[in-house]
């Protein structure tokens, strides 16, 4: 068996916050943030950093989330200098607008933003 000597270091941390907004002893908001750092080239500095925050909010106190939002922000150090060259953010939001206890497809929105260091863009791609 021929095993590759290539390795990737990955560090993952998860933080969870439970919030009782109205003080009734029941959690109204749950927020979980997962941070993943990936060192692809083995220099001890993360080449990829991903932060995923998921928040669920029970607006009406029935124990069912009425709003769920997940934001994923990923930063890439493409040239290995320790500074992000590209950052991508994707936010998915679901809101049970009609109050039926289900977040339907038409109650979900997705927003994406990508920022790229200007010198990584090809000539003519940069904003004026």
């Amino acid at each position: 068996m021929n095993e590759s000597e290539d390795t990737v270091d990955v560090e993952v941390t998860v933080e969870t916050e439970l919030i009782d907004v109205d003080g009734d002893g029941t959690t109204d908001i749950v927020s979980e943030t997962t941070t993943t750092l990936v060192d692809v080239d083995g220099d001890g500095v993360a080449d990829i950093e991903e932060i995923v925050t998921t928040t669920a909010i029970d607006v009406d106190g029935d124990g069912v989330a009425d709003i769920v939002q997940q934001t994923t922000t990923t930063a890439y150090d493409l040239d290995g200098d320790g500074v992000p060259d590209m950052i991508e953010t994707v936010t998915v939001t679901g809101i049970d607008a009609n109050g039926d206890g289900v977040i339907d497809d038409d109650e979900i929105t997705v927003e994406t933003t990508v920022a790229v260091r200007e010198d990584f863009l090809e000539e003519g791609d940069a904003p004026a």
Side-chain angles (χ1 to χ4, degrees):
M1 181 174 187
N2 186 5
E3 292 186 32
S4 172
E5 292 183 23
D6 294 333
T7 61
V8 174
D9 293 323
V10 178
E11 179 183 328
V12 178
T13 58
V14 178
E15 298 175 17
T16 303
E17 185 176 8
L18 307 174
I19 303 168
D20 176 9
V21 175
D22 54 14
D24 66 356
T26 303
T27 300
D28 300 300
I29 302 172
V30 177
S31 182
E32 180 178 273
T33 301
T34 302
T35 303
T36 305
L37 304 174
V38 181
D39 178 8
V40 177
D41 56 13
D43 65 356
V45 177
D47 300 297
I48 302 170
E49 179 178 356
E50 180 179 79
I51 301 172
V52 179
T53 302
T54 304
T55 304
I57 303 170
D58 177 12
V59 176
D60 56 14
D62 65 357
V64 177
D66 303 295
I67 302 170
V68 178
Q69 183 173 69
Q70 183 175 69
T71 300
T72 302
T73 302
T74 309
Y76 303 92
D77 177 11
L78 303 172
D79 59 6
D81 66 356
V83 178
D85 303 305
M86 184 174 101
I87 300 172
E88 176 183 38
T89 301
V90 178
T91 300
V92 180
T93 304
I95 299 175
D96 181 17
N98 61 14
D100 67 354
V102 177
I103 298 175
D104 299 308
D105 289 346
D106 64 342
E107 297 173 313
I108 297 172
T109 59
V110 179
E111 297 177 35
T112 302
T113 304
V114 177
V116 179
R117 209 173 78 192
E118 190 172 340
D119 60 324
F120 273 80
L121 297 174
E122 292 186 33
E123 194 170 318
D125 290 341

